[in-house]
Amino acid sequence: MPYINTQTNVTITKGKELDIKKKLGKAIELIPGKSENWLMVSFEDQCSMYFKGEGDFGIAFVEVKLFGKADSDSYNKLTTVITKILEEELDISPDHIYVKYEEVSNWGWNGSNF
C-alpha cells in the first residue's frame, strides 16, 4: 500500500505525468513486497515553492508513504531512482529535490484496516 505524492513548482503535462507514473510504478519494486498493483500516485504541479530562498528553478518535494517498514538501503535506492526520474522528465536537478519517507502501521482500504 504505497502512496507517492509529488509536489513541484514546474508544470507537468499529462504525457509527462503518465510517464512519471509508469516509472514510479516500476521504481516502487525497490521496496521489498511493494508493487504497482497497490501503488497510489498523485501530482501537484505549479506549486509556489522556494528552496534556499529562491524559486526561479525547478523544485520538488516527494512524499513516499508505505504500510509497514523497509530498510535504509531500499530507501536509498528508491531516492536515487526518484530523483533520476524527476531530473529526466521535468529537468529538476537532484539537489533541488527532497524525498520524505513515512512508515505507516495502520492503513485502511475497502472499508477496513490491514
Side-chain angles (χ1 to χ4, degrees), residues 87-103:
E87 181 178 32
E88 290 174 352
E89 296 295 335
L90 301 177
D91 199 31
I92 300 175
S93 177
D95 65 341
H96 297 153
I97 301 169
Y98 279 163
V99 181
K100 173 193 171 200
Y101 293 92
E102 184 176 341
E103 298 173 340

Side-chain angles (χ1 to χ4, degrees), residues 5-113:
N5 180 50
T6 302
Q7 294 176 303
T8 183
N9 64 337
V10 303
T11 300
I12 305 174
T13 65
K14 192 62 170 178
K16 288 291 184 184
E17 183 178 290
L18 293 173
D19 290 343
I20 296 167
K21 176 198 68 74
K22 182 178 180 180
K23 290 179 179 183
L24 291 175
K26 183 68 177 163
I28 199 65
E29 294 175 4
L30 292 167
I31 305 293
K34 305 303 178 188
S35 72
E36 187 177 26
N37 290 338
W38 288 96
L39 177 62
M40 184 179 286
V41 177
S42 64
F43 299 95
E44 299 175 51
D45 68 345
Q46 301 179 3
C47 295
S48 181
M49 299 178 79
Y50 299 89
F51 184 63
K52 297 182 179 181
E54 302 293 327
D56 58 347
F57 47 78
I59 302 167
F61 180 72
V62 181
E63 292 180 285
V64 180
K65 299 181 183 193
L66 46 106
F67 178 63
K69 297 184 179 289
D71 59 61
S72 61
D73 187 52
S74 296
Y75 288 143
N76 283 329
K77 289 176 184 175
L78 185 55
T79 297
T80 298
V81 173
I82 288 172
T83 55
K84 182 179 177 184
I85 291 168
L86 297 181
E87 181 178 32
E88 290 174 352
E89 296 295 335
L90 301 177
D91 199 31
I92 300 175
S93 177
D95 65 341
H96 297 153
I97 301 169
Y98 279 163
V99 181
K100 173 193 171 200
Y101 293 92
E102 184 176 341
E103 298 173 340
V104 179
S105 59
N106 293 291
W107 198 287
W109 173 75
N110 197 23
S112 63
N113 286 355

